[in-house]
Structure formats: structure tokens, C-alpha cells
Amino acid sequence: MDLARLTEALSIPAASTFVVHGLDVQDWGRVLRLPCRYTTPDGDSGAFDLIFDDCREMRWRLYTHYQGDTPALVDLTFGTAAQRKPAHILTDAFGLSLLYGEYRIIRSPAA
């Protein structure tokens, strides 16, 4: 599980929780941006974008039972860049598997 890699990149505690606020597909699907928020066990929160560049293939599964607006990020596996092994993103609303060139985690400035 690469949620530990995500918490390390954001310099936040491993017990933090994440929600996904949207899915932005750019450049005819070659760039995928997921705006997200985290909340630490202490109640601190922040925003960041998880961006996958040079996407080649995406498989999407929507879970129709989900009724909320901001699905929780349940599991994340980055796979391997350069389209060698897919990333897997699992929320309580959808699952996504994609081959990509590289990923970036961009923290949003404090408001």
C-alpha cells in the first residue's frame, strides 16, 4: 500500500485520512488530476493534487451504492512509471487502474 508514500511526501502522520474531491481529465486523457484533502489525527488538514502524466490506459469502475460527495481514499498503489505496471486507486465510490509515465504530488498553498 502506497498511502505511506503519500503521507511521507506530504510530511503528515501515517494515520491521516484522505478524500478525493474530483477527477480532472486533461489533454484527451493523457493527464489525470485528482484534487484531494487530508486530515491528520490532530485535526490539521490540507489540500493537494495527485497528478498522473502521460497516461496510456485507464480502467474505471464505479460503485453504484455510494451516496456521498467526497469519497474516502481507501487504498493506493503507484505501480511503476513509464507504463510498466499500473497504478491502482481505490475509494469507497470508485476504483481506477491506469498506466502512466510519472506521477506528481503537489501540495496546495495554505489558504
Side-chain angles (χ1 to χ4, degrees):
M1 175 158 60
D2 287 334
L3 285 177
R5 192 184 314 177
L6 185 58
T7 57
E8 184 178 312
L10 294 167
S11 300
I12 59 175
S16 300
T17 58
F18 301 93
V19 293
V20 179
H21 281 274
L23 179 71
D24 185 14
V25 178
Q26 302 168 355
D27 194 20
W28 295 103
R30 292 192 56 170
V31 177
L32 180 70
R33 178 181 150 272
L34 291 108
C36 302
R37 287 196 67 80
Y38 67 83
T39 303
T40 67
D42 296 333
D44 295 332
S45 65
F48 66 96
D49 288 338
L50 182 56
I51 300 170
F52 293 91
D53 291 309
D54 196 21
C55 297
R56 299 285 173 94
E57 180 181 326
M58 289 183 244
R59 293 176 185 240
W60 175 268
R61 176 169 290 187
L62 183 61
Y63 303 121
T64 57
H65 67 275
Y66 184 73
Q67 298 294 317
D69 291 329
T70 53
L73 182 59
V74 176
D75 193 13
L76 171 66
T77 304
F78 284 110
T80 308
Q83 292 88 27
R84 292 189 305 261
K85 198 171 186 184
H88 298 284
I89 301 165
L90 177 64
T91 73
D92 50 9
F94 66 88
L96 177 63
S97 174
L98 70 140
L99 291 172
Y100 66 96
E102 58 187 37
Y103 75 90
R104 297 177 282 147
I105 300 167
I106 300 175
R107 181 176 253 169
S108 301

